[in-house]
Amino acid sequence: MLKNFVKIAIRNLLRSKGFSVINILGLAVGMASAILILLWIQNEMSYDQFHEKKDRIVEVWNKATFDGNLNCWNTTPKVLARTLERDFPEVEQSVRVDWNNDHLFSVGEKRITLKGSPVDSNFFQVFSFRLLKGQTSTVLNDQHNIVLTESTARKLFGNEEPMGKIIKLDNADNFTVTGIVKDLPNNTRFNFEYLLPWSYVRFKGNDDNYWGNNSTRTYALLKPGINLEGLQKKLKTLKQKYQPEETKWEMFVYPITKWRLYSSFKNGVEDGGRIVFVRLFGIIACFILLIACINFMNLSTARSEKRAKEVGIRKVVGAHKNSLILQFIGESILLAFIAGIIALLIVQLALPGFNTLTSKQLYIQYGNILFWATGLGFIALTGIVAGSYPAFYLSSFQPVSVLKGTFKKAHALVTPRKILVVLQFTFAIILIICTIIVRQQINYAQNRESGYNKDNLVFHFLTGDLDKNYNLVKNDLLASNAVVSVTKTSAPLTQSWSDGWGQEWEGKDPNDKTDFRRYNADEDLVKTIGLTLVKGRDFNLKEYPTDSTAMMINESALKVFKFKEPLGQIIKDNGRQWHIVGVFKDFILESPYQPTRPMLVYGLKSNWFGVVQIKLNGKNKTEANLKTAEATFKKYNPEYPFEYKFVDEDYAKKFESEQTTGKLSGIFSVLTIFISCLGLFGLATYMAENRIKEIGIRKVLGASVTHITALLSRDFFILILISFAIASPISWWLMHNWLMGYPYRTDIELWVFLLAAGLSFFIAFISVSYQSIKAAMANPVKSLRTE
């Protein structure tokens, strides 16, 4: 019987090649889209879940009230790790991981800048990064040990044995390679090319026991069976124990299972995070696949009359309804299997571009038996869902009616089909509207005035001897005519590296606890980056030697200080008095989607700088300017490469997450529309077949092609109108909630919905016009002769 079923299925496929191609293509595109999304979801869900002790690993967070809001953040004091091990018997081990730093690595004549972190020596005992060489318990025991990733080792030593080799760091200290770690997987929050021991931080004098310096990440490995809720209660008062003035400051631990997807807080409460996008795209994957299955149903039932006699004859010769259902389900599974193979080919071809778009390294695990088992189950489920409605529909035909030629399709069966098409286009319209609004929000933020001039502005980190030779570098650059202005700052213009509270000023409210963004700058800051001064002036040490303790503030900070005349006012911070010499308009330091924060810019006495800001001469070619700048940097900092970055490119990275979301939504909305069009084409075919004699009679009675085309198309436009009526409020609700997460956001405007409606009707017209016009132009004699 199985052999007979397969033969019939193959004959049906070959007999209706056009139908088979359309059906398989719709399923293949739907399945490929779903596979891509599921690969992305699997990658997101698996972040840092490969650690063997993941059930016991937590990260320590801070919680405190600033600016009237309860803020949560995951940087902690350096002293916390050892305190946890000493004061909390629940903690088995604790490990600190400092921020990634760029350092110059020298091996012989080779010079490479690499990114890595100082960590505690027990790092590999807590986290399950695989050491290819070296012992987890001793690999970072000495302050001059270093662990390299395998790719970093190849960069530095080629095919030579790296263990025991000497590396010079920043032309200062020698390190011995004591371990090689396997390259990091693409589903971890960690991103390092090397690891240094925390004892080196102490050796350099950068360690401290100050509880107010929240500058590193602290992780804890809990002992087995520890009650997390009980530990949370004990942690609440830890800060007050060692820093009594912080009475309302709390600490809490956050489990590794939530790091990637949930670590987003609003006023101290979890408010989603990336899990929102994971759920959203999971829903999109389900709906795309469901829409592909709906197409299969539509196209299968559209051909019902062509198989009606087959069903009638099979029933007459004794076929049971169950066997017919099994036959049609089997055919749909066969189609789904063919579509699955094509879908895998589509996915394989699309993966490089998809990886580039999502900044991931997704791949299909062909060697994993679980993948094939899941894949076959996925195909079988798709085939069953897609073939269920046609199977029950076709197997319900009455043989007497069919064989007498009086078979008619029940009008009640039209309703489910129309509901399915409405469902298809409802989801397609939702995606269209959401994609447009996401694009609007991105444009809204991109068009927001940044507050400074990004044109021809580059920055370079203060590596090697640049800080020592800064004045020489600056003078040579200005004299070369390749540069019009130079300054140095504590951080890039697009990042906030420091913030703090506790400043004192005249008239301060005792209850005020404003968190200020801190920024350090040399003279010529305003000139170099193009700030707009509201009051006062830029730093100028030549004319005003006391500007080493001068301060500039932004307008948001002025609102906090409430000075009627800010110039000359004294701000006390970090044990030093600073006098205000200028007020500038707010500029975007962090997210362009958020309001600007109060900002203090300190003069040279701040004594901590990390970046050179360079304004290139716009009258020259950029390439020539950069070549001149490179020569100057090489002259005074010969051991280090000239590694500059354009500020406008760095600023553009702030939009990457939303742009990726928008692009993915756009791509999947196009695919959804494409698959939905196949569904409309199937329905148009069905209705044209159903009304062929009616069309013939109307033509005989004088109806024009235009009139008949409009008559056949009207039903489809009613379906699209219903879809639009359902999709509009759903889209508004989804986008309203999404936009509420952005304090600086666009409005949802009427034209977005009108545009989506217009696109939907146009797409529907393109989809059904061929079949409608074809039916309207058919010779009525042929259709009436079949009566």
Side-chain angles (χ1 to χ4, degrees):
M1 182 179 287
L2 180 63
K3 183 178 179 181
N4 185 47
F5 280 177
V6 173
K7 279 184 179 180
I8 294 172
I10 292 174
R11 285 171 184 168
N12 277 313
L13 288 177
L14 296 176
R15 187 182 303 121
S16 306
K17 295 183 180 67
F19 157 79
S20 301
V21 168
I22 292 173
N23 228 345
I24 290 171
L25 179 62
L27 271 178
V29 172
M31 293 171 75
S33 302
I35 291 169
L36 285 172
I37 295 173
L38 292 174
L39 284 173
W40 180 84
I41 290 174
Q42 186 274 334
N43 180 266
E44 290 287 329
M45 298 287 285
S46 67
Y47 256 69
D48 286 307
Q49 300 308 298
F50 57 86
H51 298 293
E52 294 175 5
K53 302 171 184 176
K54 64 181 181 181
D55 295 337
R56 298 192 284 137
I57 298 174
V58 295
E59 182 179 26
V60 185
W61 282 58
N62 281 304
K63 184 190 293 186
T65 300
F66 297 103
D67 307 328
N69 294 312
L70 187 57
N71 298 284
C72 300
W73 69 99
N74 62 344
T75 52
T76 56
K78 296 172 183 176
V79 68
L80 176 63
R82 303 289 77 81
T83 304
L84 289 174
E85 292 176 342
R86 184 184 67 244
D87 293 4
F88 290 82
E90 298 91 341
V91 175
E92 184 175 306
Q93 294 188 75
S94 189
V95 57
R96 291 165 292 189
V97 178
D98 210 355
W99 298 103
N100 271 1
N101 297 300
D102 289 333
H103 287 291
L104 179 70
F105 280 58
S106 303
V107 177
E109 298 300 315
K110 191 174 291 185
R111 302 284 189 276
I112 301 176
T113 301
L114 298 170
K115 187 182 294 292
S117 305
V119 299
D120 276 316
S121 59
N122 58 346
F123 178 82
F124 289 105
Q125 297 173 47
V126 175
F127 297 105
S128 302
F129 294 107
R130 183 184 165 197
L131 271 176
L132 301 176
K133 296 182 179 180
Q135 298 297 318
T136 58
S137 58
T138 60
V139 72
L140 290 169
N141 276 2
D142 188 271
Q143 67 187 31
H144 288 106
N145 287 356
I146 189 169
V147 173
L148 308 176
T149 63
E150 55 182 328
S151 58
T152 300
R154 283 194 296 270
K155 288 179 187 177
L156 292 170
F157 302 106
N159 294 324
E160 296 180 25
E161 171 57 55
M163 294 291 285
K165 293 289 179 63
I166 303 299
I167 296 172
K168 179 165 281 191
L169 195 72
D170 292 334
N171 291 321
D173 299 308
N174 290 327
F175 286 81
T176 303
V177 178
T178 54
I180 304 297
V181 63
K182 186 175 177 61
D183 284 341
L184 306 187
N186 68 347
N187 56 346
T188 177
R189 69 151 52 173
F190 296 96
N191 179 27
F192 57 82
E193 295 174 288
Y194 66 88
L195 292 174
L196 299 176
W198 193 268
S199 53
Y200 181 68
V201 176
R202 287 197 298 272
F203 172 75
K204 299 295 286 185
N206 295 325
D207 200 4
D208 64 71
N209 294 324
Y210 176 45
W211 280 87
N213 180 14
N214 295 281
S215 59
T216 192
R217 289 183 172 181
T218 304
Y219 304 95
L221 177 65
L222 305 182
K223 292 178 181 177
I226 293 300
N227 182 283
L228 206 59
E229 188 175 337
L231 178 61
Q232 300 284 29
K233 290 179 181 178
K234 293 175 67 175
L235 268 172
K236 279 187 176 183
T237 58
L238 178 65
K239 180 79 171 180
Q240 291 86 340
K241 178 179 178 181
Y242 292 98
Q243 200 171 10
E245 64 272 19
E246 302 291 356
T247 56
K248 294 184 180 179
W249 193 298
E250 296 180 9
M251 286 185 171
F252 64 97
V253 293
Y254 207 60
I256 192 172
T257 51
K258 291 189 172 185
W259 290 355
R260 175 70 174 179
L261 300 178
Y262 297 93
S263 53
S264 176
F265 295 85
K266 186 174 183 180
N267 204 23
V269 179
E270 279 186 346
D271 69 336
R274 292 186 68 85
I275 190 64
V276 174
F277 294 102
V278 170
R279 289 169 180 163
L280 173 64
F281 284 108
I283 292 170
I284 289 174
C286 291
F287 270 96
I288 288 178
L289 192 59
L290 180 60
I291 287 170
C293 293
I294 289 172
N295 278 348
F296 186 97
M297 299 174 190
N298 286 344
L299 290 169
S300 295
T301 51
R303 295 181 64 253
S304 58
E305 278 196 355
K306 295 184 179 179
R307 299 196 67 177
K309 289 184 178 180
E310 173 196 337
V311 173
I313 292 172
R314 288 175 64 123
K315 280 194 170 186
V316 167
V317 297
H320 295 289
K321 184 175 181 178
N322 288 341
S323 66
L324 291 172
I325 291 172
L326 185 63
Q327 167 70 37
F328 294 125
I329 290 287
E331 288 183 19
S332 68
I333 291 176
L334 177 61
L335 275 174
F337 183 77
I338 298 171
I341 295 172
I342 297 172
L344 277 180
L345 293 175
I346 294 172
V347 169
Q348 200 60 53
L349 292 173
L351 263 179
F354 191 72
N355 283 335
T356 300
L357 177 63
T358 58
S359 301
K360 290 186 178 292
Q361 300 170 19
L362 305 177
Y363 60 94
I364 299 176
Q365 299 179 9
Y366 290 109
N368 189 340
I369 191 170
L370 182 62
F371 163 76
W372 290 109
T374 305
L376 289 174
F378 178 71
I379 289 171
L381 179 63
T382 303
I384 292 169
V385 172
S388 57
Y389 174 45
F392 285 101
Y393 173 63
L394 292 171
S395 63
S396 66
F397 291 167
Q398 296 300 317
V400 175
S401 299
V402 170
L403 297 177
K404 278 185 176 180
T406 58
F407 168 71
K408 300 291 182 184
K409 300 174 184 65
H411 291 292
L413 291 174
V414 174
T415 302
R417 292 172 54 76
K418 289 184 176 181
I419 290 173
L420 293 176
V421 171
V422 167
L423 177 62
Q424 284 183 309
F425 264 83
T426 296
F427 188 67
I429 293 169
I430 288 172
L431 275 179
I432 292 172
I433 293 172
C434 292
T435 301
I436 295 171
I437 293 175
V438 169
R439 185 68 254 173
Q440 261 192 299
Q441 173 66 359
I442 295 170
N443 290 338
Y444 188 71
Q446 285 179 327
N447 294 333
R448 182 182 176 187
E449 179 57 49
S450 64
Y452 59 92
N453 187 355
K454 300 184 289 291
D455 295 341
N456 296 307
L457 189 60
V458 300
F459 68 94
H460 190 292
F461 290 107
L462 275 169
T463 55
D465 294 331
L466 280 181
D467 196 22
K468 180 177 68 177
N469 297 325
Y470 170 72
N471 289 328
L472 296 172
V473 172
K474 180 177 180 178
N475 291 336
D476 279 16
L477 287 173
L478 294 174
S480 70
N481 196 42
V483 172
V484 295
S485 185
V486 180
T487 191
K488 61 179 178 179
T489 58
S490 55
L493 287 173
T494 56
Q495 301 173 38
S496 174
W497 285 5
S498 179
D499 65 292
W501 55 93
Q503 294 83 359
E504 298 291 335
W505 62 88
E506 186 178 350
K508 178 184 177 181
D509 183 344
N511 297 319
D512 183 283
K513 201 169 185 181
T514 300
D515 184 33
F516 291 92
R517 292 294 172 264
R518 285 182 168 133
Y519 205 73
N520 305 334
D522 193 10
E523 54 186 353
D524 294 330
L525 174 69
V526 173
K527 179 182 178 182
T528 305
I529 71 173
L531 292 179
T532 302
L533 282 171
V534 178
K535 285 181 176 289
R537 56 176 175 79
D538 197 352
F539 298 141
N540 189 335
L541 285 165
K542 296 181 182 66
E543 294 187 26
Y544 306 95
T546 59
D547 272 8
S548 60
T549 57
M551 172 185 285
M552 289 190 289
I553 63 175
N554 68 353
E555 290 178 303
S556 292
L558 181 58
K559 292 176 183 177
V560 175
F561 294 140
K562 299 178 182 177
F563 294 139
K564 291 183 179 179
E565 177 48 63
L567 301 183
Q569 295 285 351
I570 301 299
I571 307 296
K572 296 179 182 179
D573 192 14
N574 285 333
R576 182 174 283 130
Q577 292 189 353
W578 305 86
H579 59 283
I580 299 175
V581 299
V583 180
F584 55 87
K585 282 189 174 182
D586 291 345
F587 75 86
I588 299 172
L589 183 65
E590 297 173 287
S591 171
Y593 301 103
Q594 303 289 333
T596 51
R597 306 287 296 276
M599 182 177 181
L600 310 178
V601 180
Y602 302 81
L604 271 176
K605 276 288 186 180
S606 56
N607 200 33
W608 180 65
F609 297 94
V611 175
V612 181
Q613 309 282 356
I614 304 168
K615 187 74 168 182
L616 301 176
N617 191 338
K619 296 179 180 178
N620 306 329
K621 290 185 177 180
T622 302
E623 186 178 352
N625 287 337
L626 291 172
K627 193 172 182 180
T628 301
E630 181 178 15
T632 303
F633 274 68
K634 283 291 186 182
K635 178 180 177 182
Y636 295 105
N637 197 33
E639 298 296 330
Y640 285 76
F642 179 61
E643 295 177 329
Y644 62 89
K645 294 182 181 179
F646 282 95
V647 172
D648 57 355
E649 292 178 357
D650 205 48
Y651 185 82
K653 292 179 181 178
K654 295 178 180 292
F655 305 94
E656 285 183 348
S657 178
E658 284 75 14
Q659 284 178 331
T660 299
T661 302
K663 288 176 182 177
L664 287 175
S665 299
I667 289 170
F668 292 124
S669 65
V670 169
L671 292 174
T672 304
I673 292 164
F674 170 74
I675 299 170
S676 298
C677 287
L678 292 179
L680 275 190
F681 182 83
L683 187 57
T685 304
Y686 171 82
M687 295 187 78
E689 286 182 358
N690 226 16
R691 302 175 70 174
I692 189 168
K693 294 177 179 62
E694 175 193 342
I695 293 168
I697 293 170
R698 287 180 180 274
K699 289 197 72 175
V700 168
L701 295 175
S704 65
V705 172
T706 304
H707 176 78
I708 293 173
T709 302
L711 180 69
L712 292 175
S713 302
R714 182 183 60 189
D715 290 339
F716 300 113
F717 290 129
I718 292 173
L719 295 179
I720 304 305
L721 188 61
I722 295 170
S723 298
F724 177 73
I726 297 170
S728 295
I730 295 174
S731 303
W732 182 90
W733 179 78
L734 289 172
M735 287 293 94
H736 174 74
N737 288 338
W738 180 71
L739 288 172
M740 289 303 290
Y742 297 95
Y744 190 85
R745 57 183 177 268
T746 187
D747 296 320
I748 301 177
E749 298 175 300
L750 179 62
W751 69 264
V752 174
F753 297 91
L754 296 178
L755 177 61
L759 285 173
S760 304
F761 282 110
F762 176 74
I763 291 164
F765 174 77
I766 296 297
S767 302
V768 304
S769 60
Y770 170 75
Q771 283 295 341
S772 298
I773 295 171
K774 179 182 175 183
M777 294 182 68
N779 188 343
V781 175
K782 289 184 178 180
S783 60
L784 294 176
R785 272 180 182 171
T786 61
E787 187 60 57

